[in-house]
């Protein structure tokens, strides 16, 4: 994994890395086709309390959400060697990293679309929480 230095955060602990070629071009194309078949909607912002809102001043791109346990498990297998084995939680102590959230949020950006700089928030349900973001670039058109 290549470490990425986030501007303004040069002295921070590891924040971001890049792993190349997690999926083949054909696998990426298949996931894009799957998202196109399901359809796209405006990408929303989490505003707290389990609520979301459309905030075009913060982001104006589209997204498709697909729940897929098998895809998430396969993705984790492919990147697991690059992911920390555990994390330290101030209240819960050492916690193992177990996998990837099955809710895939596939984002699409057209000309002039953006998601302004932000920090991702954790997702939590009754049995788990997600604290890392895994982002795949499915093509090389930027």
């Amino acid at each position: 994994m290549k470490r990425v230095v986030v501007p303004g955060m040069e002295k921070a602990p590891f924040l971001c890395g890049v792993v190349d070629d997690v999926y083949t071009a054909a696998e990426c194309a298949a996931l894009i086709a799957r998202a196109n078949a399901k359809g796209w909607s405006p990408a929303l912002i989490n505003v707290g309390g389990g609520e979301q809102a459309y905030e075009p001043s913060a982001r104006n791109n589209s997204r498709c959400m697909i729940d897929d346990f098998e895809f998430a498990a396969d993705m984790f297998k492919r990147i697991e060697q690059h992911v920390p084995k555990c994390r330290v939680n101030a209240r819960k102590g050492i916690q193992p990293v177990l996998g990837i959230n099955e809710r895939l949020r596939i984002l699409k950006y057209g000309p002039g679309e953006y998601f302004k700089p932000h920090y991702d928030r954790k997702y939590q349900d009754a049995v788990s929480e997600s604290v890392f973001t895994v982002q795949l670039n499915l093509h090389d058109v930027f």
Side-chain angles (χ1 to χ4, degrees):
M1 178 179 340
K2 295 179 282 194
R3 183 173 194 264
V4 175
V5 178
V6 178
M9 303 289 287
E10 292 84 359
K11 295 183 181 180
F14 181 80
L15 292 175
C16 184
V18 174
V19 179
D20 291 321
D21 302 320
V22 175
Y23 287 95
T24 66
E27 289 170 320
C28 292
L31 186 56
I32 291 169
R34 189 173 169 194
N36 284 333
K38 182 168 183 189
W40 301 91
S41 59
L44 305 178
I45 300 283
N46 290 322
V47 293
E51 299 294 320
Q52 296 186 344
Y54 180 60
E55 296 286 344
S57 63
R59 87 185 297 177
N60 66 352
N61 62 299
S62 301
R63 82 174 163 197
C64 173
M65 294 197 297
I66 299 173
D67 291 342
D68 189 330
F69 289 95
E70 291 81 19
F71 190 93
D74 176 70
M75 185 189 320
F76 186 67
K77 269 203 297 198
R78 293 178 188 219
I79 67 169
E80 186 174 14
Q81 68 186 14
H82 304 287
V83 175
K85 303 294 179 229
C86 61
R87 73 179 199 103
V88 178
N89 180 300
R91 290 176 299 177
K92 299 176 184 176
I94 296 175
Q95 296 180 294
V97 173
L98 302 173
I100 292 176
N101 184 328
E102 71 281 357
R103 175 148 296 161
L104 309 175
R105 294 162 184 88
I106 303 165
L107 305 176
K108 179 170 75 169
Y109 293 88
E113 293 182 337
Y114 54 83
F115 192 176
K116 288 190 175 176
H118 65 283
Y119 289 99
D120 287 351
R121 301 177 81 176
K122 71 178 181 177
Y123 168 80
Q124 189 168 355
D125 61 24
V127 296
S128 65
E129 66 181 357
S130 63
V131 294
F132 301 111
T133 296
V134 175
Q135 180 174 324
L136 300 175
N137 290 317
L138 299 176
H139 57 77
D140 59 3
V141 178
F142 295 102

